[in-house]
Amino acid sequence: LAVALARPVMGYQVRKDRANVTDIMLCVDVSGSMKTLDFIAGGERRDRLYVTKQAVKDFLRNRKVRSGDRFGLDRIGLVLYATYAWTACPLTLDYGVLEHELDRAEINERDRTRQRTAIGSAVGLAVNRLRKSEAKSKVIILLTDGLNNTGELDPMTAALLAKDYGIRIYTIGAGSTEGGVVPTPTVFGMVMSAMSEGVDEDALKRIAS
């Protein structure tokens, strides 16, 4: 029994293989402005976060050998951000876990101070997750309405950090350039309030370039 517990091995050793995979960090905006209703999907008015989630799920399906598989071809992680950024899911091949965390992503309706948008913080956190990666390609996909208005790290500074570590950033604007109406709770129930600002395309293009 003592010898068995020692697990003696002869003629075998651990071999580490590096696959030609891509490490991808998805940065999904869950700030208050993502409540803006400027999409029509399935005949219904939908907010930016709903449509962003659907786009991410489509992306994950395309990164699988078969659509019904739980595991994917590349390691993908998830960063969520509003006033602060946090890692919802570290890099993984298990897309089932990733989709579960994506489904849980929501806007904090209770505290307006946590509804701002810290794009620089999100990119900086994603860079930190990818900087030691040995993958052949390292990518950040930033999904946002493009309006940075809080955080200690400026988006352009974060983008330059990504460049230093050989990480590419792809930016995707969620919403229209014209903006849309925002549902606001009142004592009389939910009402549609003033138009939200549109996507800041120039900022997203600068970050990507």
Side-chain angles (χ1 to χ4, degrees), residues 29 38 43 57 59 93 96 113-114 120 158 163 166 170 188 196 204:
D29 189 344
D38 50 6
K57 289 179 180 179
F59 175 76
L93 292 170
T113 64
R114 295 180 178 271
K163 180 181 179 182
Y170 296 92
F188 302 106
S196 171
L204 295 183

Side-chain angles (χ1 to χ4, degrees), residues 24-139:
I24 303 169
M25 289 301 301
L26 299 167
C27 296
V28 175
D29 189 344
V30 291
S31 63
S33 57
M34 294 295 281
K35 294 186 295 184
T36 305
L37 298 166
D38 50 6
F39 285 99
I40 301 294
E44 296 184 43
R45 190 181 288 273
R46 297 289 190 179
D47 62 36
R48 295 173 178 178
L49 182 57
Y50 174 87
V51 175
T52 297
K53 286 184 178 183
Q54 298 308 307
V56 171
K57 289 179 180 179
D58 287 342
F59 175 76
L60 294 178
R61 280 192 289 270
N62 290 330
R63 301 311 304 154
K64 299 177 182 179
V65 175
R66 292 176 297 272
S67 60
D69 291 348
R70 174 166 178 165
F71 296 88
L73 298 170
D74 298 310
R75 294 202 307 168
I76 301 179
L78 177 64
V79 167
L80 301 177
Y81 64 100
T83 302
Y84 308 99
W86 65 96
T87 303
C89 182
L91 289 166
T92 181
L93 292 170
D94 188 342
Y95 292 4
V97 172
L98 191 62
E99 290 178 4
H100 174 71
E101 293 302 323
L102 181 67
D103 287 334
R104 294 179 58 197
E106 61 182 15
I107 298 165
N108 189 331
E109 301 279 4
R110 299 172 298 279
D111 188 351
R112 293 186 64 85
T113 64
R114 295 180 178 271
Q115 293 185 13
R116 299 177 70 80
T117 311
I119 292 176
S121 298
V123 174
L125 180 56
V127 169
N128 191 48
R129 285 287 181 178
L130 290 170
R131 62 189 179 91
K132 294 183 179 180
S133 167
E134 296 181 353
K136 66 169 184 176
S137 180
K138 294 176 284 187
V139 172

